[in-house]
Amino acid sequence: MSDSKNKSLMEHLNIGEFNRGQSSKLIRNLVEEDKAAFIQKNGKPIAVVISYERYQRMFEKGIDISEF
């Protein structure tokens, strides 16, 4: 995996897309493209979604987000 892929900007998804029944499609796309995304409400980030594989890679490198 190249450094440029690791340092690419995260996508910003609007919570309204999830409310309109698009959550499955949005999450599937993030997983297939191995991306992370901010979920926004009223233009402000409220959550981050990452694939399980990305989480595992972070954990293997010593980053355990459950500690924060």
Side-chain angles (χ1 to χ4, degrees), residues 11 13-15 18 37-41 44-49:
E11 289 190 42
L13 304 173
N14 191 299
I15 192 73
F18 286 85
F38 289 110
I39 307 303
Q40 294 182 321
K41 182 176 182 181
K44 296 181 182 178
I46 60 169
V48 174
V49 178

Side-chain angles (χ1 to χ4, degrees), residues 1-65:
M1 189 178 307
S2 69
D3 286 341
S4 63
K5 185 173 183 180
N6 288 336
K7 295 182 182 187
S8 64
L9 295 176
M10 288 180 31
E11 289 190 42
H12 293 83
L13 304 173
N14 191 299
I15 192 73
E17 296 175 79
F18 286 85
N19 293 338
R20 289 190 296 271
Q22 297 295 314
S23 58
S24 179
K25 177 184 171 186
L26 296 169
I27 291 170
R28 185 175 47 251
N29 288 341
L30 289 173
V31 170
E32 288 173 357
E33 297 175 14
D34 195 33
K35 292 184 176 180
F38 289 110
I39 307 303
Q40 294 182 321
K41 182 176 182 181
N42 299 325
K44 296 181 182 178
I46 60 169
V48 174
V49 178
I50 62 173
S51 69
Y52 180 72
E53 289 79 15
R54 184 173 286 234
Y55 171 79
Q56 283 294 109
R57 289 194 310 271
M58 291 171 59
F59 189 78
E60 289 170 2
K61 290 184 177 188
I63 302 168
D64 185 357
I65 60 175

